[in-house]
Amino acid sequence: AVDMATTSQSEADEKRGRAMRKHEERLGKLQRAYEDNRKDCDRGDAKACEKARANYAGMRELDASGY
């Protein structure tokens, strides 16, 4: 009985770890896109400004959802 509980907990920990890594990957991708678009926006690219705002909103949404 102990082995089943330990395995189940281990599997839950692995699943949580995968979810955390996936969340961090998505957040990192959005952050990089945000920075790139923000720089282009600063140079006068209006479409990049729109994209930067969308990236920022996505980052906020991910932060609010947790992992």
Side-chain angles (χ1 to χ4, degrees):
V2 172
D3 288 338
M4 286 297 283
T6 303
T7 300
S8 180
Q9 183 61 48
S10 175
E11 290 172 353
D13 290 345
E14 289 174 13
K15 184 176 179 180
R16 186 171 40 253
R18 281 191 299 273
M20 288 172 59
R21 284 188 298 280
K22 188 173 183 179
H23 177 266
E24 291 298 320
E25 287 172 10
R26 284 185 292 203
L27 187 57
K29 184 177 179 180
L30 279 170
Q31 287 172 331
R32 287 187 298 276
Y34 170 75
E35 289 298 324
D36 288 344
N37 286 314
R38 191 185 55 76
K39 287 176 188 175
D40 290 342
C41 177
D42 289 345
R43 293 183 188 114
D45 184 341
K47 288 209 180 269
C49 296
E50 292 174 23
K51 290 178 183 179
R53 282 191 288 275
N55 296 142
Y56 188 78
M59 290 171 10
R60 299 273 304 183
E61 187 176 313
L62 270 179
D63 279 343
S65 71
Y67 56 89

